Amino acid sequence: MANDKYQQMMYEKIQQQFQDWDSKSFIIERDLYGFLHSLKGTAGSIGMTELSAIAAEKLDVIEAENEQYWDSESWHNFLAPIVEALSFFETNYTSQQSEDVEASQLPMKHQDFIVVIDDDTVFMSYMKNVLEKSGFLVLVANNGERGLKLIYEFNPALVFLDIMLPDTNGFSILENITKIKANQMYVAVMSVNDSRENRKKAYDLGAFDFIAKPIDEEILVSYVHNRLNYKRMLEHSIVTDELTQVYNRKYFDQQMKRCLQNYQYKQEPFTVAMTDLDFFKKVNDTYGHLIGDDVLKGFAGLVMSEKREDDIFCRYGGEEFVMLLPNTNADEAYKEMERLRVLLSQKVFFSEQKKPFNVTYSSGIAQVNADHAHPKKLLELADRALYEAKKTGRNRTVVYTDAQVIEEPKKGIKIIVIDDVYIIRNLIMTGFNQLTVDGDYTVEVAAYSDGLSFLNDAWYDPNYKYILLLDGMMPQMDGIDVLRKVREKYSSNEVIVSMLTGRIGENYVREALENGADDYIVKPFNIADVRLRLMNLVNRLFSKVH
């Protein structure tokens, strides 16, 4: 049987423990409890169910923290069934040297590390053998200190943690693991004592699962496959843009750091290219957002099928994408981005009425060097080059060089208050004119006394983004009607609308939100509170994380 060698190891471990105790005049009940606790979980896991049941029965009549002395005769009598089982083993089996269980010759299916932290060497060896037969890489530790070192060094995907450890309590280790896990590390606490208190404490401290010993081999393997498959799916979703299925900004930031490390330590050059689809708002306005989404997906699919293998393509936000080109200088990057630009300009898209149309992109390129070896700086320079490409006609690629004088793009935001009460308009204008913000954008404030004068004015400039503070009740045109007119042309990515209302009621709030309001502020309000809320809206407008 597959478990024969582990049963033999179990008997040899019991034999060694009894020999150690026989050399002493007495043992402490706490140590006796620890021995039986370990025996219950391990024996049950490797098929020694009767021995596990005996251990469980004995555990019920002793205490984990009791310091009572047991002389040799007492503990022998107490453990008589186990002593008898050991005697039978010694009579019927020849002690054999334990096989090496530290390595499996089977090929590993993947590189996810699993760490098992348990003071029972038989149980650890059993776990390691079972999991490595299924293709997993398993590291083991018989105490908490060693277990934490393995976690720090190997960043495992899954940790099996026993509660009772020789140097510390397993819950203390769990607290430390919870502090350092930043890569969706799953921690499963394993213990014979699956009391309600232990399970609750494990979950409170951050464990994903609590597995009671003894374990079932087939269920264990299925459990590991389940957790690791879910982990991969989750990690993929975290770094993948949902619409285009290319990598997102989070993944780009990770890879940018990696490229910078290679540059700093190996002097490997790389280039960043920021790309923006030209007149994409016009595509949405003309053909609708569903067709706009098709364009984004079509562009992403084209680049993914045509780019070089090592280049890393990500959606940065909206219609803006970014490419990392490892081991590539600016001239090489220029040729590559131009090749892709021509391919995109030749690609045909179709409206819902099957009318063909084309799109193009503008691109800005910046190459890493000793003066620009910082993620924010490189992106800033690539963004400047992109701004230059758009300012000089679009559908082109511009390379940033230190010798060039490229105007830094300014980001503008306009705050517009629309309210028929003068004192409210004046209060908001005064408060927001004093607004100071960090970042490379300007803030302007304007006011209108009614919705019609606002809508009839040429208020919209595509170079700005907007926050409208819109009164709900005004003469000639109600605020909800003004909101509807705004939303006919502009999305929340361009214009954020916060309703100013004295109306209290769920129905009004629902109506405002259903018609496209992003927020609402109840009158009377504190201008300082509104300023704080406004800053959150500003951050939302200029955030490129989607």
Side-chain angles (χ1 to χ4, degrees):
M1 293 176 61
N3 287 334
D4 279 354
K5 67 178 179 180
Y6 296 105
Q7 294 178 7
Q8 180 175 322
M9 289 176 66
M10 185 78 259
Y11 277 119
E12 290 174 350
K13 180 180 178 181
I14 296 171
Q15 183 181 51
Q16 183 179 6
Q17 182 66 77
F18 285 180
Q19 288 174 352
D20 178 56
W21 284 352
D22 278 332
S23 67
K24 301 175 180 179
S25 57
F26 62 86
I27 65 172
I28 301 173
E29 184 168 312
R30 169 170 41 84
D31 295 332
L32 181 60
Y33 185 96
F35 164 76
L36 290 170
H37 182 276
S38 175
L39 181 61
K40 175 185 174 183
T42 303
S45 298
I46 61 177
M48 304 170 76
T49 54
E50 292 183 2
L51 198 59
S52 178
I54 292 170
E57 179 185 347
K58 298 297 182 182
L59 281 171
D60 286 340
V61 296
I62 60 176
E63 297 180 2
E65 302 301 326
N66 198 324
E67 299 293 324
Q68 178 182 338
Y69 290 172
W70 290 62
D71 60 27
S72 180
E73 182 180 0
S74 298
W75 71 257
H76 270 90
N77 290 336
F78 183 68
L79 299 180
I82 300 175
V83 172
E84 183 180 359
L86 179 61
S87 176
F88 181 82
F89 166 76
E90 291 173 337
T91 302
N92 290 278
Y93 292 91
T94 301
S95 180
Q96 301 176 4
Q97 183 177 3
S98 298
E99 298 177 21
D100 178 15
V101 295
E102 290 302 316
S104 170
Q105 300 302 315
L106 294 175
M108 299 302 169
K109 296 178 181 177
H110 49 69
Q111 295 301 306
D112 281 318
F113 279 104
I114 298 172
V115 168
V116 179
I117 307 173
D118 198 298
D119 65 331
D120 189 325
T121 55
V122 177
F123 184 79
M124 283 195 312
S125 298
Y126 170 72
M127 288 278 290
K128 182 176 177 67
N129 183 265
V130 168
L131 294 175
E132 288 194 338
K133 282 192 303 183
S134 297
F136 302 105
L137 289 171
V138 183
L139 304 169
V140 295
N142 64 352
N143 60 65
E145 181 182 5
R146 175 60 181 160
L148 278 176
K149 286 183 179 179
L150 291 178
I151 290 169
Y152 275 109
E153 292 174 8
F154 291 93
N155 203 15
L158 181 59
V159 176
F160 289 105
L161 173 66
D162 190 24
I163 292 177
M164 294 188 66
L165 298 171
D167 57 340
T168 185
N169 184 286
F171 289 127
S172 176
I173 299 298
L174 181 58
E175 287 185 280
N176 282 282
I177 293 174
T178 305
K179 293 175 184 176
I180 65 173
K181 62 178 183 180
N183 68 328
Q184 296 301 319
M185 181 191 304
Y186 290 93
V187 181
V189 172
M190 304 184 75
S191 179
V192 169
N193 186 358
D194 62 339
S195 66
R196 180 180 183 277
E197 291 75 17
N198 275 348
R199 286 184 283 120
K200 181 179 184 302
K201 188 171 184 180
Y203 291 128
D204 286 343
L205 291 175
F208 279 81
D209 297 286
F210 191 105
I211 300 175
K213 296 179 181 178
I215 63 169
D216 180 283
E217 179 175 329
E218 292 184 356
I219 292 177
L220 173 68
V221 172
S222 295
Y223 166 83
V224 172
H225 278 297
N226 176 283
R227 287 296 178 264
L228 294 185
N229 286 338
Y230 181 75
K231 178 177 181 292
R232 293 188 193 101
M233 290 171 56
L234 185 61
E235 288 176 341
H236 179 73
S237 67
I238 289 173
V239 298
T240 304
D241 176 65
E242 184 177 1
L243 175 66
T244 61
Q245 291 300 299
V246 299
Y247 289 120
N248 61 16
R249 182 172 179 174
K250 179 181 178 67
Y251 185 80
F252 169 79
D253 292 341
Q254 295 171 353
Q255 296 304 306
M256 171 75 95
K257 291 178 182 177
R258 181 181 63 82
C259 286
L260 282 169
Q261 288 173 347
N262 288 339
Y263 172 74
Q264 290 164 348
Y265 292 108
K266 303 177 185 178
Q267 295 302 301
E268 290 182 2
F270 72 94
T271 304
V272 178
M274 295 199 73
T275 301
D276 194 283
L277 293 179
D278 296 328
F279 303 110
F280 184 69
K281 181 182 179 300
K282 186 177 180 180
V283 172
N284 280 332
D285 291 345
T286 304
Y287 305 110
H289 287 277
L290 290 178
I291 298 299
D293 288 348
D294 288 341
V295 169
L296 293 173
K297 290 186 285 188
F299 169 56
L302 170 72
V303 174
M304 291 301 293
S305 64
E306 296 291 341
K307 74 177 183 65
R308 303 177 307 178
E309 182 178 357
D310 292 338
D311 293 341
I312 301 165
F313 183 62
C314 308
R315 187 181 183 194
Y316 203 67
E319 66 270 24
E320 195 167 45
F321 295 78
V322 64
M323 181 95 83
L324 273 174
L325 300 96
N327 293 303
T328 304
N329 62 34
D331 290 338
E332 295 166 336
Y334 176 83
K335 294 177 182 177
E336 178 63 13
M337 297 309 296
E338 281 291 281
R339 180 180 71 86
L340 294 173
R341 184 185 62 79
V342 172
L343 288 174
L344 176 63
S345 67
Q346 295 170 347
K347 181 177 176 63
V348 178
F349 295 91
F350 293 92
S351 68
E352 290 183 346
Q353 293 74 33
K354 306 303 179 184
K355 179 181 178 180
F357 66 95
N358 301 95
V359 296
T360 60
Y361 75 61
S362 302
S363 185
I365 289 173
Q367 180 182 335
V368 69
N369 61 36
D371 295 327
H372 306 147
H374 188 277
K376 186 175 180 179
K377 184 65 175 178
L378 274 172
L379 287 170
E380 176 189 324
L381 299 182
D383 197 36
R384 287 193 191 185
L386 171 60
Y387 178 73
E388 185 71 12
K390 291 192 288 187
K391 190 176 74 170
T392 54
R394 291 183 168 84
N395 192 22
R396 64 190 61 202
T397 302
V398 171
V399 177
Y400 178 88
T401 66
D402 291 330
Q404 290 175 306
V405 179
I406 296 180
E407 180 184 351
E408 183 176 355
K410 291 293 183 181
K411 301 172 183 177
I413 184 165
K414 286 187 178 181
I415 302 164
I416 299 178
V417 54
I418 308 164
D419 198 298
D420 61 326
V421 179
Y422 170 78
I423 190 171
I424 293 178
R425 296 198 307 273
N426 186 59
L427 180 66
I428 294 176
M429 287 281 290
T430 303
F432 290 162
N433 274 326
Q434 298 171 358
L435 185 66
T436 58
V437 295
D438 296 326
D440 300 322
Y441 51 83
T442 60
V443 177
E444 298 179 17
V445 186
Y448 295 84
S449 61
D450 62 84
L452 280 178
S453 61
F454 163 70
L455 292 173
N456 291 332
D457 193 17
W459 61 274
Y460 185 79
D461 181 340
N463 293 317
Y464 287 81
K465 290 185 182 287
Y466 291 83
I467 295 177
L468 302 187
L469 300 177
L470 176 59
D471 185 24
M473 294 184 64
M474 293 182 293
Q476 300 184 62
M477 180 177 284
D478 189 87
I480 294 292
D481 293 327
V482 177
L483 173 62
R484 292 192 185 103
K485 293 290 185 182
V486 170
R487 282 292 174 255
E488 287 175 3
K489 292 186 177 181
Y490 309 107
S491 70
S492 293
N493 288 329
E494 301 158 305
V495 180
I496 286 181
V497 180
S498 184
M499 302 299 294
L500 302 177
T501 177
R503 301 178 185 178
I504 304 298
E506 182 181 345
N507 291 337
Y508 175 76
V509 172
R510 183 188 297 114
E511 183 182 14
L513 296 177
E514 287 177 349
N515 281 280
D518 301 284
D519 190 20
Y520 66 92
I521 301 170
V522 177
K523 298 177 182 178
F525 51 78
N526 184 295
I527 192 65
D529 292 338
V530 173
R531 259 204 313 266
L532 180 61
R533 183 178 296 200
L534 183 72
M535 288 309 303
N536 290 328
L537 295 176
V538 169
N539 290 332
R540 171 180 164 181
L541 276 174
F542 286 111
S543 172
K544 293 184 178 180
V545 180
H546 291 255

